[in-house]
Amino acid sequence: MNSPQNRRRFLATLGLGTATLAGCMDALGSADSDENDGEPSGNETDEDENGSGNEDGNGNREIVAPAIEAGELVDDFEEIEWNPMYDHTTVSSDDECLVGESSMLVESESRDVAGVFRAFSEGQDFFGKDLSFAVRVESPLPARVVLDVRAPGASDRLVSARSIPGEFDGWLRVEGGYTGKRGEPNLGNVQELRIYVEPRGDAEGPIRFRIDDLRATERSDQGKVVLTFDDSVESQYTTALPMLEERGWSGVAAIIPDSLNQPGRLTINQCRKLRDAGWDVSAHPHTALPEMDSDERVEYLQNAHDYIANRISEDGARHYFAPYNRMDAASIADVREVFETSFTFGGQPNIAPPLDGHMLPRVNGHDADDIATLLDLTAEYCQVLTLMVHGVGDTESENSLNDVTEEDFEAVLDAIESRDLEVVTVSDLVDD
């Protein structure tokens, strides 16, 4: 079994609107403002539970998700070669790690931003490569983790901004899906990497996070888009299906099993017709996982998986879409037991195909203008952008379950097609 005015202005110079990140503002401004470069903690958790296993019984390196084996190891953080971006930040080696003997611990009393940078004495060649790393944000939550790739300097750079849910303090693999660009970055000559964390919303407290397992993997050969539709809305069959069929595309219906066959919702027969049209029909059960204990959660997830696998689609049943963007470390461990992939809101593209497969990021897909920059970057760097809507059609009527008009959704589809992006299902993505 297997989400200040000068910052907004700076974002605009990169072509990255604030709506793209669904409330996550300024993916570049905080780090750029300092160009001189100058709570449960989880400590009581045993090695297997926090993912720190280092060797198997034969002395070989044990790979525990979200660590990966693929690609080139850029930094294992056995020696700390990174420096604090700000005077208020400290950087140290820490034995709570995902792989090896240590990770990098970054701490600051600042409530605005804390981060680190590593300057390379010789430019690093990451041309045709994607960067990813494991991170564990202990506080504050929710937060945003930003990877800033300077290639070669601040005038030519790429950023990847990933949202971390408010309850999630476990290890997460951040796959460098780019959300902002300045100048003409040359990834064959990366002179500096920066990683920093910013609180989101009303998050409070000192900043404390760990980083481990920084790797570079081979890039895909074409950008992709996954179109996901939540909550079993009937217009996914009556409206979205024919719109996609006109272009030869398929989508992903993330259904609430208990909602099927109710007014305004998909019927099970319509789900089967979506399957026959090449769609994934996947699990989106609507109880927030952190509200359950582990035994109850696994049974709940297994029931949702089995309902879809037995009645609709074994392929689609492999994929889970978290409701309310709620996830914690214990919940994702249970999700891994039942599902092959899982999705939350994250506000960024992802590496294609995904390296880990869990807590993959999604982006709101209601407005073509809002996602234009992400589509451009997805196409240029051959990544995958997963878009999320609910229903397509009339959004004004009382009790309407639609959240995007047919006209606006058509504009989104036109924007995808104009960039020569391949539209795939989740199964297509992971089985490729």
Side-chain angles (χ1 to χ4, degrees), residues 229-233 236 254-256 259 265 284 286 390 401:
F229 301 82
D230 286 7
D231 291 0
S232 318
V233 181
Q236 296 166 13
I255 67 167
I256 309 168
S259 74
R265 306 286 182 169
H284 187 47
H286 245 222
H390 291 76
L401 297 173

Side-chain angles (χ1 to χ4, degrees), residues 231-235 262-265 390-403:
D231 291 0
S232 318
V233 181
E234 186 178 23
S235 61
Q262 297 184 24
R265 306 286 182 169
H390 291 76
V392 181
D394 176 17
T395 60
E396 301 297 329
S397 299
E398 186 178 1
N399 301 321
S400 173
L401 297 173
N402 301 320
D403 60 348

Side-chain angles (χ1 to χ4, degrees), residues 47-236:
E47 284 192 347
D48 287 337
E49 289 175 338
N50 69 24
S52 298
N54 296 322
E55 293 185 352
D56 62 17
N58 298 317
N60 299 315
R61 179 175 181 263
E62 184 180 6
I63 306 301
V64 179
I68 61 170
E69 293 183 278
E72 166 195 355
L73 180 64
V74 178
D75 201 329
D76 60 5
F77 301 96
E78 299 300 291
E79 296 182 7
I80 304 303
E81 300 181 74
W82 298 68
N83 297 290
M85 288 167 48
Y86 307 105
D87 291 340
H88 57 64
T89 302
T90 62
V91 181
S92 62
S93 179
D94 191 79
D95 61 6
E96 183 181 329
C97 56
L98 189 63
V99 295
E101 300 296 330
S102 64
S103 64
M104 177 171 60
L105 175 64
V106 184
E107 299 177 282
S108 175
E109 291 300 319
S110 167
R111 298 185 179 187
D112 296 324
V113 61
V116 292
F117 73 94
R118 180 176 173 183
F120 298 98
S121 57
E122 298 182 3
Q124 299 295 295
D125 184 0
F126 296 132
F127 183 80
K129 302 287 182 65
D130 289 309
L131 294 171
S132 69
F133 58 95
V135 64
R136 183 175 186 180
V137 180
E138 184 176 313
S139 67
L141 291 166
R144 181 177 57 178
V145 178
V146 180
L147 169 66
D148 182 345
V149 182
R150 305 198 167 195
S155 298
D156 300 285
R157 60 204 283 211
L158 287 159
V159 294
S160 170
R162 171 65 196 259
S163 296
I164 308 296
E167 296 164 287
F168 190 81
D169 66 348
W171 284 103
L172 171 70
R173 187 147 210 100
V174 173
E175 302 186 16
Y178 295 121
T179 54
K181 175 183 175 182
R182 174 187 273 183
E184 299 180 0
N186 174 13
L187 292 178
N189 184 23
V190 174
Q191 296 284 343
E192 184 179 316
L193 297 177
R194 293 186 175 202
I195 299 173
Y196 58 93
V197 166
E198 294 178 321
R200 293 187 61 228
D202 297 327
E204 297 181 350
I207 299 174
R208 180 180 170 92
F209 64 96
R210 295 173 176 83
I211 302 171
D212 206 351
D213 198 42
L214 173 62
R215 304 184 75 88
T217 52
E218 294 293 330
R219 179 170 298 155
S220 178
D221 57 4
Q222 184 179 10
K224 307 176 191 298
V225 171
V226 179
L227 297 169
T228 66
F229 301 82
D230 286 7
D231 291 0
S232 318
V233 181
E234 186 178 23
S235 61
Q236 296 166 13

Side-chain angles (χ1 to χ4, degrees), residues 124-427:
Q124 299 295 295
D125 184 0
F126 296 132
F127 183 80
K129 302 287 182 65
D130 289 309
L131 294 171
S132 69
F133 58 95
V135 64
R136 183 175 186 180
V137 180
E138 184 176 313
S139 67
L141 291 166
R144 181 177 57 178
V145 178
V146 180
L147 169 66
D148 182 345
V149 182
R150 305 198 167 195
S155 298
D156 300 285
R157 60 204 283 211
L158 287 159
V159 294
S160 170
R162 171 65 196 259
S163 296
I164 308 296
E167 296 164 287
F168 190 81
D169 66 348
W171 284 103
L172 171 70
R173 187 147 210 100
V174 173
E175 302 186 16
Y178 295 121
T179 54
K181 175 183 175 182
R182 174 187 273 183
E184 299 180 0
N186 174 13
L187 292 178
N189 184 23
V190 174
Q191 296 284 343
E192 184 179 316
L193 297 177
R194 293 186 175 202
I195 299 173
Y196 58 93
V197 166
E198 294 178 321
R200 293 187 61 228
D202 297 327
E204 297 181 350
I207 299 174
R208 180 180 170 92
F209 64 96
R210 295 173 176 83
I211 302 171
D212 206 351
D213 198 42
L214 173 62
R215 304 184 75 88
T217 52
E218 294 293 330
R219 179 170 298 155
S220 178
D221 57 4
Q222 184 179 10
K224 307 176 191 298
V225 171
V226 179
L227 297 169
T228 66
F229 301 82
D230 286 7
D231 291 0
S232 318
V233 181
E234 186 178 23
S235 61
Q236 296 166 13
Y237 174 78
T238 60
T239 306
L241 171 62
M243 292 176 72
L244 267 60
E245 282 187 320
E246 287 183 3
R247 301 171 190 257
W249 298 347
S250 299
V252 180
I255 67 167
I256 309 168
D258 289 343
S259 74
L260 297 182
N261 303 316
Q262 297 184 24
R265 306 286 182 169
L266 293 168
T267 66
I268 194 164
N269 189 49
Q270 288 171 335
C271 289
R272 290 168 179 160
K273 289 181 178 180
L274 289 173
R275 173 205 63 199
D276 293 344
W279 287 45
D280 278 337
V281 179
S282 301
H284 187 47
H286 245 222
T287 299
L289 299 185
E291 296 178 359
M292 307 179 194
D293 64 37
S294 184
D295 289 343
E296 179 186 13
R297 188 162 50 231
V298 170
E299 182 179 8
Y300 180 78
L301 292 168
Q302 192 66 55
N303 287 340
H305 170 277
D306 291 350
Y307 182 95
I308 296 170
N310 294 334
R311 292 168 173 81
I312 304 169
S313 168
E314 291 186 359
D315 279 349
R318 297 178 292 164
H319 316 303
Y320 171 79
F321 294 80
Y324 314 115
N325 200 38
R326 292 187 60 185
M327 187 68 71
D328 60 12
S331 296
I332 196 61
D334 291 336
V335 170
R336 288 180 184 277
E337 290 295 317
V338 180
F339 293 96
E340 183 175 335
T341 69
S342 64
F343 290 77
T344 61
F345 180 84
Q348 67 165 173
N350 199 76
I351 291 173
L355 300 173
D356 174 27
H358 285 278
M359 291 187 65
L360 300 175
R362 292 200 288 171
V363 174
N364 288 324
H366 306 100
D367 190 307
D369 291 336
D370 281 353
I371 62 172
T373 296
L374 294 186
L375 290 171
D376 289 339
L377 292 168
T378 299
E380 182 175 1
Y381 294 98
C382 300
Q383 299 182 327
V384 58
L385 184 65
T386 302
L387 299 181
M388 171 185 66
V389 301
H390 291 76
V392 181
D394 176 17
T395 60
E396 301 297 329
S397 299
E398 186 178 1
N399 301 321
S400 173
L401 297 173
N402 301 320
D403 60 348
V404 58
T405 67
E406 189 171 342
E407 180 182 10
D408 287 343
F409 191 60
E410 191 77 52
V412 169
L413 301 185
D414 287 343
I416 294 168
E417 190 164 31
S418 70
R419 290 163 172 84
D420 194 32
L421 289 156
E422 182 185 8
V423 175
V424 298
T425 65
V426 182
S427 293

